[in-house]
Amino acid sequence: MEDVHGGEPWNDRKAIGSGESVATSSSSDATLDSNGAPLEKLKTLLDVRGAVFMASFLIQPLLLHLSSSAQTESCRTLLEDMEALRSDKDDILAEAIWNTMQEVTAAILLLADDGNHDSWDTPQGSSAGIHKVTRSIERYIRLLEINYRSVDQIVRKAADCGTYAPKTCSTNPFTSMITEMVSCLEEKLAKMSESFPNTSLGLLFLINNLHSLWQQLHPVYDTKFNMSVLTRKIEDYIDKYLQEAWAPVLARLHSSSPSTLQFGRKHFPLSKFESEFRKTHNDQKLWKVPDPELRKRLRKAITDKVASGFTNFLEENTVSTRGSTITPQEVEDMLQELFEG
């Protein structure tokens, strides 16, 4: 199978082709517009290949039956001609499918580099929503998985021919391609997150997008793809987010020395903690976490850190909340308002 574009599709856009890259083509098939042109083209080709295979599967028993009749030689010749035609058409379709997969790859990478706000499901400045490049890769993975047997054969052949060099030798080429896809997406998302004016919002953007991808991969790839790596990355980003967004809030509890004892209790100026908490809460309750389970998980993590930390501080230091208008229960209740958008 000749590879028109060549290279390793998920390493870098320049590696997709030699000469004029598909990613810079003016053809409508080289852009992943709202209609998903390359994906639709790929779906059509996969459907055609499946139909050709099914037609051959249905016709062969009839020809084999006829070959046992008096016209054995003519039927055998017809059977051989049919198989040769099917094989030729299959090779053509397989090559077209592989090349179109390169077009899809190029279009997705181009979309990832697009700073236009039209590439976002929600406005970049106000939400950490799911980027369209994530949605595109999710649709692409679903299409590949639905046609796994066909695509697996094509990717294996590309690897055997040297037109695709899997980076993960311990797995089959198809799984290696998915792994490279996920790794490339994470790199692109990390770069995008740097454009956010707020570091915490950028981290939430990474969490949202990688979690969305995890949901797509988890039911299918637990045994094929090392999901634990992606899971750990999401957990690491959650830890970084908690440290970036909420550790400074708790730090306000320790920023001042207690006043003199009154009735056996120390009095800390809690106004700084309350002010920082309300500011952070007011900012982040407008941020969006689309998935309900992830939203619940993040709220619990923040509650465990902030509300519990506030309660423990009061108990361990026998501190009175006098002078503060907020209680640990109110903190916990307010945290349940986060991420509704």
Side-chain angles (χ1 to χ4, degrees):
M1 177 173 58
E2 180 185 0
D3 178 26
V4 174
H5 304 299
E8 299 176 24
W10 288 100
N11 289 346
D12 188 87
R13 191 195 311 162
K14 293 179 181 178
I16 292 171
S18 56
E20 183 180 1
S21 170
V22 176
T24 59
S25 170
S26 60
S27 167
S28 61
D29 282 345
T31 58
L32 202 67
D33 56 21
S34 58
N35 296 321
L39 283 174
E40 288 302 315
K41 178 181 175 182
L42 179 60
K43 180 180 183 301
T44 299
L45 288 170
L46 288 167
D47 288 345
V48 170
R49 189 173 191 242
V52 170
F53 175 82
M54 183 57 66
S56 174
F57 178 78
L58 294 174
I59 291 173
Q60 277 189 353
L62 175 61
L63 294 176
L64 288 171
H65 173 71
L66 292 174
S67 68
S68 62
S69 66
Q71 302 177 10
T72 302
E73 187 61 33
S74 61
C75 286
R76 183 180 297 111
T77 301
L78 178 59
L79 181 61
E80 291 173 352
D81 290 345
M82 286 286 293
E83 177 58 25
L85 178 62
R86 186 205 66 79
S87 179
D88 289 343
K89 295 297 183 184
D90 187 69
D91 286 345
I92 293 172
L93 281 169
E95 181 179 348
I97 288 169
W98 175 251
N99 291 338
T100 304
M101 287 170 64
Q102 309 310 296
E103 291 181 21
V104 174
T105 298
I108 291 175
L109 292 178
L110 182 63
L111 182 60
D113 292 334
D114 182 12
N116 193 314
H117 283 192
D118 290 341
S119 298
W120 302 75
D121 280 359
T122 49
Q124 179 184 0
S126 61
S127 175
I130 310 301
H131 195 277
K132 288 184 179 179
V133 70
T134 304
R135 296 299 191 204
S136 296
I137 285 184
E138 289 172 353
R139 290 196 299 271
Y140 186 30
I141 290 174
R142 280 197 296 270
L143 180 60
L144 296 180
E145 181 58 33
I146 290 170
N147 297 275
Y148 172 76
R149 292 185 64 181
S150 181
V151 175
D152 181 58
Q153 292 174 355
I154 292 170
V155 177
R156 285 179 185 273
K157 188 171 183 179
D160 291 341
C161 294
T163 55
Y164 167 55
K167 297 184 71 175
T168 307
C169 299
S170 59
T171 61
N172 66 48
F174 179 89
T175 303
S176 179
M177 185 179 68
I178 298 297
T179 303
E180 293 161 30
M181 196 183 304
V182 172
S183 177
C184 179
L185 175 63
E186 186 198 355
E187 292 177 6
K188 296 293 184 181
L189 292 174
K191 184 177 180 180
M192 292 179 208
S193 71
E194 296 173 359
S195 67
F196 283 86
N198 186 302
T199 302
S200 300
L201 185 60
L203 289 168
L204 192 63
F205 164 76
L206 284 168
I207 294 166
N208 273 332
N209 280 266
L210 291 180
H211 178 77
S212 179
L213 184 64
W214 180 89
Q215 286 181 308
Q216 176 63 37
L217 293 172
H218 177 64
V220 177
Y221 288 97
D222 257 350
T223 57
K224 302 177 188 176
F225 174 75
N226 191 358
M227 289 297 296
S228 61
V229 174
L230 183 57
T231 300
R232 282 197 302 272
K233 287 183 180 295
I234 295 171
E235 291 172 349
D236 287 345
Y237 282 126
I238 290 176
D239 289 341
K240 289 179 181 178
Y241 159 77
L242 292 172
Q243 187 64 26
E244 178 69 28
W246 296 100
V249 176
L250 283 175
R252 293 296 186 178
L253 292 172
H254 307 280
S255 62
S256 301
S257 300
S259 61
T260 57
L261 289 172
Q262 295 183 16
F263 304 106
R265 298 175 68 88
K266 291 178 287 187
H267 288 267
F268 285 74
L270 300 178
S271 58
K272 290 184 178 180
F273 166 79
E274 181 179 349
S275 175
E276 188 72 17
F277 173 78
R278 290 189 183 278
K279 178 181 180 299
T280 304
H281 166 267
N282 289 338
D283 288 342
Q284 299 201 19
K285 72 178 181 180
L286 300 177
W287 295 357
K288 184 71 173 179
V289 175
D291 180 68
E293 289 301 317
L294 178 60
R295 190 161 60 239
K296 181 179 178 181
R297 176 182 174 185
L298 287 171
R299 286 171 176 171
K300 183 180 185 304
I302 298 168
T303 299
D304 289 345
K305 186 176 186 69
V306 179
S308 298
F310 184 32
T311 300
N312 292 339
F313 176 82
L314 296 177
E315 292 175 350
E316 291 173 2
N317 294 279
T318 60
V319 178
S320 169
T321 57
R322 192 176 71 177
S324 173
T325 60
I326 197 166
T327 66
Q329 184 59 53
E330 288 171 329
V331 167
E332 187 170 342
D333 292 342
M334 291 174 69
L335 290 175
Q336 301 311 305
E337 301 171 355
L338 296 177
F339 310 132
E340 292 292 345

